[in-house]
Amino acid sequence: LSGWYNNAQRFSADPDRAFRYLEYVDGVLGSTPTTQHRLLMNGVDHLEAQEDLLPILGKLQDRLGEGETIFQSTLLDYAKATKQLLENGPKGRVEGELRFGRDREILQGTLSSRRYLKELNTRCQTLLETELEPLYAMLARLTGGKVAYPSDELRYLWKAVMKNQAHDSICGCSIDRVHQDDENRFLRVLDCAGDLRRRGMQEILNRVDRNGLEDSEFLLAVANPLPFPRSELVAATIRFPQADQIQGFDLLDSKGRKVDYEVVETIHQHRMTVSPFNVPGLIAVDEVAIRFAATEVPANGYAVYRVVPSAEVPVSNTPPFPEFPLVVENECLSVSVAKDGRVSMEDRVGGWKTEDLFSFEDAADAGDSYCFIPVPNLEPLDLSAARPVVTWVEKSALRQCVRIEYTFMIPAGFEQDSGQRTAGLVENRVQVELSLPRGGKALDISGWVDNQSKDHRLRILIHTGIDADRNTSSQPFDCVERGRYPEQPDLKVDWTHPNNGWVAVGDEGGQVAVLTDSMYDYEHLPDARHSLAFTCVRATGRVIDDAFGLTVGKIPPSPEWASPENQSLRRTPFHLAIRPGHISPAGLFREQQCWLSPLLVAFDSVDPHRFLEGRACVQDADLSEMFYRDIPPAEVNLPHRAAGVAVEGDVVFSACKRKENRNGYLLRVFNPVSEGVPIELSGMESVREASLAEVPLGEVRPVDGSDRREVPAKGIVTFEMG
């Protein structure tokens, strides 16, 4: 808004001063308004309403010229009046994002403030949207409602997450006390949602058909809440009671075929047994962490594997002695890590390759929680000279992983008075793990920053090697194309852009996409290596800088705006993946969802009581008894493999959930591109479209095998399922 969003903040009760102020406001607006209406914003979010405004407006009206009026109105009425004026006139066309102002900069430094909050936010939203809601929708539909959909619990969790979405909360630009509440609220959501996920997976194991199985066997459930089949590497933990003295085991699929697996590690320890009816007890177990390839887990369904004790003792893999270069490779990718930490990568399918995949840079930040402000004439530090420690974490047929540990010497802070970084250097530790599963098309890069410096921004630079001036980025329900160079370089000091899951650059020769996990900002750098930069941590100590820039002064800033915890002197995780090769935007969305939300896994015994015992409530041997609430035998009938709703087509899954009025279930998808996309629906008896507000639209149509329709360009479509 011209003159900011309080351009007519308060009028004087003195008629002459009020009229002079009105003339001033009119001059500030100038020729900006494109109609005869002028929008005067009387107030701002920090102030109370002006109680004497109406009589002042009456006096101002008396001094206005013929045909001019001033009156109190609403934003909605202003929009309606403006729309009415434009109805019969020529229509201008504006394309692109509404993220750029001619006189003020968007406060996009909030994309990277307090990144630890962003990471928790992504985890919460992923749990609710792509795991819990579709998991329980699937369970309720497959069991005919015997497994209840937890509407109340999910509404509570969504409301808790929404409490953190206020613009100064998730943006990380409030005082420390506010963000302490945010973090605690996110953690409470994760606790409750994690327990709901465990209970949902346990329902599959409780209700799967046990006919023909032995009580000495165990069950492993793998669930896929998303509405398309998935084949992925699965990590699971199997617990054998030590009293059973089980030495080895076979893993069998639903057809009784052996499935190859690898043992990651074995731990001997005690675990607590918990049930609603017996006092918790302890059981000694052998915990075996395994990994195996789950193939074609049904859409919005599950597959149950049998774990059958055998005489064959599995062998754990041990990482080899590092002989450089360390090579991580599969059918799709080859990655080489040199002793100095330099990483090269090659796409074996598409041919793209780079000799230097990523590096880190650190820049002084003279800004605050709202804005990253670079220091003039102070170039970012290239941290490539640091010599890391490189070791194997795992090297097996199913997964390979290399750990790189850096110690970066970074200035302790930045001095506003001198405009220079402090002379003292402190250690900032960064750990990165590069992992690649068998068949994986993306290299996973997970790590953390143990930040010990202040007033700086540490970024990871992904060197794409693709000389393209455009990039494509995911947005909520959409993807957008942006230029590499800023449209208004004279205005902007921070040239980052938002993404909510991936960024891609490409040309005729290839494409490189970076999948992101809560790394919401990125910059397409005009450097020789054609890099994409993502913030790992941004540290500032103030909500807003009093001088809002590099003003030299000796008076200390006001303490009310201090936020020392915004310096993020903590361990902050970061997580991304490199995915070379051409793929559609919807395909990238789907891969990013699978990457963020792996297949769900749960383990139990065929004997449903084995892990539900505990300590007896009485000590007399004749009276000691364990108590259970068994599911009626008629309900223990789920097949060992089942599918739910499925969507076939190049669209993106958004939601599969119970309706808010609890009368049925719905599925939502969207199309991020500018052309219509055909899809097929299955796994439901009938379907009709609904609005985002879940109001039915059109007629109910039966689904005979599959239902074919089109999702329009840039469209969001909600289906009510019968």
Side-chain angles (χ1 to χ4, degrees):
L1 294 172
S2 295
W4 207 39
Y5 50 84
N6 61 337
N7 59 5
Q9 179 173 299
R10 193 174 182 94
F11 287 89
S12 172
D14 179 276
D16 291 332
R17 293 180 66 86
F19 188 73
R20 286 168 54 201
Y21 183 51
L22 180 61
E23 290 181 318
Y24 170 79
V25 172
D26 188 51
V28 170
L29 290 174
S31 61
T32 302
T34 57
T35 72
Q36 64 207 52
H37 296 306
R38 277 163 139 58
L39 180 63
L40 310 187
M41 301 298 286
N42 176 236
V44 73
D45 56 352
H46 300 278
L47 305 177
E48 295 183 9
Q50 183 170 354
E51 67 282 354
D52 59 346
L53 178 65
L54 293 180
I56 293 174
L57 293 181
K59 294 177 181 179
L60 287 173
Q61 181 64 59
D62 293 340
R63 301 181 64 165
L64 291 179
E66 184 178 351
E68 293 181 326
T69 58
I70 184 169
F71 57 92
Q72 190 180 50
S73 184
T74 67
L75 286 174
L76 181 59
D77 286 342
Y78 168 79
K80 289 179 178 178
T82 304
K83 182 178 180 181
Q84 186 176 7
L85 282 174
L86 297 175
E87 278 183 353
N88 299 320
K91 302 296 190 298
R93 182 177 179 88
V94 178
E95 294 187 1
E97 300 173 88
L98 300 178
R99 294 185 54 249
F100 305 101
R102 294 180 179 177
D103 58 350
R104 293 190 181 274
E105 183 179 11
I106 300 297
L107 305 177
Q108 55 206 27
T110 57
L111 292 168
S112 55
S113 285
R114 298 185 190 253
R115 262 215 59 253
Y116 62 91
L117 290 178
K118 276 69 168 176
E119 191 264 343
L120 291 172
N121 182 63
T122 298
R123 286 170 59 191
C124 290
Q125 292 184 170
T126 300
L127 248 176
L128 295 173
E129 182 179 332
T130 62
E131 296 182 11
L132 285 184
E133 287 182 339
L135 172 65
Y136 275 97
M138 176 262 291
L139 286 169
R141 287 167 61 84
L142 288 178
T143 63
K146 300 297 183 183
V147 176
Y149 187 91
S151 296
D152 292 335
E153 293 90 335
L154 287 170
R155 175 169 289 200
Y156 165 79
L157 293 173
W158 272 119
K159 284 186 173 182
V161 172
M162 289 298 293
K163 288 177 181 178
N164 282 354
Q165 305 305 313
H167 69 290
D168 284 343
S169 293
I170 189 58
C171 287
C173 51
S174 193
I175 61 173
D176 291 339
R177 188 67 186 88
V178 168
H179 296 309
Q180 291 163 6
D181 284 346
D182 293 333
E183 186 170 18
N184 183 58
R185 194 176 291 117
F186 278 137
L187 293 173
R188 293 205 316 270
V189 169
L190 290 175
D191 286 342
C192 296
D195 190 62
L196 271 180
R197 179 174 58 187
R198 179 192 62 80
R199 291 169 182 259
M201 292 299 296
Q202 187 64 42
E203 288 286 4
I204 298 175
L205 294 169
N206 290 344
R207 295 171 182 275
V208 72
D209 188 357
R210 284 165 163 75
N211 286 330
L213 305 183
E214 302 290 337
D215 281 351
S216 60
E217 298 179 11
F218 300 85
L219 299 173
L220 191 67
V222 177
N224 169 25
L226 300 177
F228 46 84
R230 293 163 68 182
S231 297
E232 295 175 12
L233 204 60
V234 169
T237 299
I238 293 172
R239 297 188 175 102
F240 294 130
Q242 289 185 8
D244 291 358
Q245 296 185 331
I246 296 174
Q247 300 299 313
F249 61 93
D250 293 325
L251 185 64
L252 308 179
D253 66 13
S254 58
K255 294 184 178 180
R257 298 170 298 195
K258 283 189 178 183
V259 177
D260 293 334
Y261 65 89
E262 293 178 347
V263 173
V264 179
E265 66 174 348
T266 301
I267 301 175
H268 309 288
Q269 65 177 4
H270 282 86
R271 279 283 178 175
M272 190 162 61
T273 56
V274 180
S275 84
F277 311 108
N278 304 314
V279 177
L282 292 177
I283 181 173
V285 295
D286 296 326
E287 285 194 351
V288 186
I290 68 169
R291 191 174 285 117
F292 66 96
T295 57
E296 289 296 310
V297 180
N300 190 224
Y302 66 85
V304 174
Y305 296 79
R306 293 165 54 201
V307 179
V308 181
S310 69
E312 185 176 348
V313 179
V315 179
S316 299
N317 286 300
T318 56
F321 182 80
E323 294 184 2
F324 294 97
L326 308 188
V327 178
V328 175
E329 58 186 348
N330 65 6
E331 309 91 317
C332 305
L333 304 175
S334 178
V335 179
S336 178
V337 185
K339 191 172 184 178
D340 64 0
R342 183 180 293 265
V343 178
S344 60
M345 181 174 175
E346 180 180 1
D347 176 12
R348 289 178 157 178
V349 178
W352 170 86
K353 59 182 177 181
T354 177
E355 298 300 320
D356 187 12
L357 181 61
F358 65 85
S359 63
F360 292 89
E361 71 161 27
D362 191 80
D365 189 347
D368 48 45
S369 64
Y370 286 102
C371 296
F372 167 76
I373 300 180
V375 181
N377 304 317
L378 194 59
E379 293 297 320
L381 299 176
D382 183 351
L383 303 177
S384 300
R387 290 297 175 260
V389 176
V390 183
T391 56
W392 279 109
V393 175
E394 182 178 357
K395 186 174 178 62
S396 69
L398 292 179
R399 180 178 181 267
Q400 299 168 56
C401 180
V402 169
R403 179 179 297 144
I404 309 175
E405 298 179 83
Y406 303 88
T407 300
F408 295 136
M409 303 304 296
I410 296 175
F414 171 76
E415 296 178 351
Q416 290 278 0
D417 289 350
S418 65
Q420 297 293 322
R421 306 191 78 167
T422 55
L425 299 177
V426 295
E427 289 187 358
N428 287 255
R429 295 176 56 221
V430 177
Q431 178 177 290
V432 176
E433 288 190 355
L434 312 177
S435 60
L436 186 64
R438 188 176 74 184
K441 297 178 180 179
L443 175 69
D444 184 274
I445 302 178
S446 62
W448 46 258
V449 178
D450 189 0
N451 179 50
Q452 299 299 319
S453 294
K454 299 179 180 180
D455 304 308
H456 73 120
R457 180 179 70 178
L458 178 65
R459 299 200 292 183
I460 183 171
L461 275 53
I462 307 300
H463 311 310
T464 71
I466 296 178
D467 187 4
D469 287 339
R470 308 293 292 174
N471 62 77
T472 306
S473 166
S474 66
Q475 303 296 296
F477 294 102
D478 198 7
C479 66
V480 298
E481 186 178 283
R482 299 188 176 106
R484 183 177 186 176
Y485 301 94
E487 297 180 22
Q488 297 166 301
D490 55 326
L491 271 182
K492 297 175 68 60
V493 295
D494 181 359
W495 296 347
T496 58
H497 294 286
N499 82 93
N500 76 330
W502 54 264
V503 182
V505 294
D507 56 19
E508 297 79 5
Q511 175 178 288
V512 174
V514 181
L515 310 183
T516 63
D517 173 0
S518 70
M519 303 181 80
Y520 289 139
D521 73 329
Y522 78 96
E523 184 178 353
H524 191 181
L525 298 176
D527 62 347
R529 296 180 292 188
H530 312 299
S531 306
L532 292 171
F534 301 88
T535 301
C536 299
V537 65
R538 191 168 80 83
T540 62
R542 301 189 56 72
V543 174
I544 189 169
D545 183 12
D546 295 73
F548 210 75
L550 299 178
T551 300
V552 177
K554 296 183 179 180
I555 300 177
S558 62
E560 291 86 357
W561 294 103
S563 57
E565 291 181 14
N566 198 43
Q567 295 286 8
S568 294
L569 301 178
R570 54 159 68 197
R571 181 170 292 186
T572 300
F574 63 89
H575 189 202
L576 44 79
I578 315 299
R579 203 286 190 192
H582 282 290
I583 181 174
S584 69
L588 276 176
F589 272 110
R590 290 193 298 272
E591 289 194 9
Q592 195 261 355
Q593 287 176 336
C594 295
W595 171 69
L596 270 190
S597 182
L599 293 169
L600 306 181
V601 184
F603 172 81
D604 201 0
S605 170
V606 169
D607 175 2
H609 300 163
R610 186 173 301 200
F611 295 113
L612 289 179
E613 296 184 348
R615 291 180 289 125
C617 60
V618 293
Q619 286 71 46
D620 189 290
D622 292 336
L623 297 178
S624 293
E625 183 180 357
M626 295 297 171
F627 299 93
Y628 312 100
R629 179 189 289 159
D630 292 329
I631 295 174
E635 296 181 21
V636 185
N637 58 1
L638 288 180
H640 283 226
R641 187 178 178 89
V645 300
V647 180
E648 184 176 338
D650 206 24
V651 294
V652 186
F653 167 77
S654 172
C656 180
K657 59 185 284 290
R658 192 180 189 181
K659 294 181 64 177
E660 292 302 306
N661 64 10
R662 309 190 183 199
N663 182 24
Y665 294 84
L666 59 82
L667 171 72
R668 181 174 296 122
V669 298
F670 68 91
N671 172 16
V673 299
S674 299
E675 300 85 28
V677 173
I679 63 169
E680 291 187 3
L681 303 177
S682 59
M684 59 198 78
E685 294 181 0
S686 62
V687 66
R688 67 173 166 181
E689 291 193 19
S691 69
L692 281 171
E694 303 184 6
V695 176
L697 305 172
E699 300 296 323
V700 176
R701 292 175 47 182
V703 176
D704 183 12
S706 62
D707 183 84
R708 296 173 179 84
R709 61 182 62 230
E710 183 174 279
V711 178
K714 299 287 185 179
I716 307 171
V717 180
T718 303
F719 300 103
E720 184 182 276
M721 301 182 293

